[in-house]
Amino acid sequence: MIKRPTQVVTSDLSFGESMEIDLGDITAELYHVESPHSEDCVCILIPQERVLFIGDAVGVDYYNNCFLDKEKLRSLITSIEGFDFDICVMGHAEPMSKDNILHIMHSLLERQENV
C-alpha cells in the first residue's frame, strides 16, 4: 500500500442558514442549527416524507470534556419543535417520533438542570 500525504481541500459548496436541494421527486432542506454536540450542526428535513435527520446533534461536546451546554440544548429543542416532521433519524439510534425525540431532549435538559 502506497502512503500519500493527507490533503485537505475546501468545500465546493457552502451555505448560510439554510439551503434546499432538489432531488427530483423530493426535496432536501438543510438547516444550520445550534447544537451542544458541535459548532457546525446541520439538520436535514425531507418534507415530502416528513422525516428529519439530526445526526449527533443531541450529543455532548467531546472536545470539551463531554460538556453538555444547556443553552445550546434549549436552542436545539426550539429548532426541532419548529420543524414539521413525523419521524426523526438520529446518528446512533432507531428512528423515532417527533414526540419521542422531544421527550428525550426535555428529559436530558431536566437532568442537566438538576446537576
Side-chain angles (χ1 to χ4, degrees), residues 25-92:
D25 293 338
I26 61 173
T27 304
E29 297 176 0
L30 287 68
Y31 296 94
H32 280 281
V33 295
E34 189 169 34
S35 161
H37 184 65
S38 69
E39 295 298 321
D40 60 348
C41 183
V42 174
C43 291
I44 303 169
L45 178 66
I46 310 296
Q48 295 86 351
E49 301 294 326
R50 300 187 53 80
V51 174
L52 179 68
F53 295 86
I54 64 170
D56 292 340
V58 182
V60 297
D61 182 351
Y62 288 105
Y63 296 103
N64 190 11
N65 295 319
C66 294
F67 176 69
L68 180 63
D69 187 315
K70 293 179 281 196
E71 293 307 314
K72 288 182 178 181
L73 181 57
R74 279 189 194 94
S75 177
L76 180 61
I77 290 170
T78 299
S79 294
I80 300 289
E81 288 173 336
F83 291 120
D84 187 18
F85 67 98
D86 295 326
I87 301 296
C88 179
V89 180
M90 294 177 44
H92 303 278

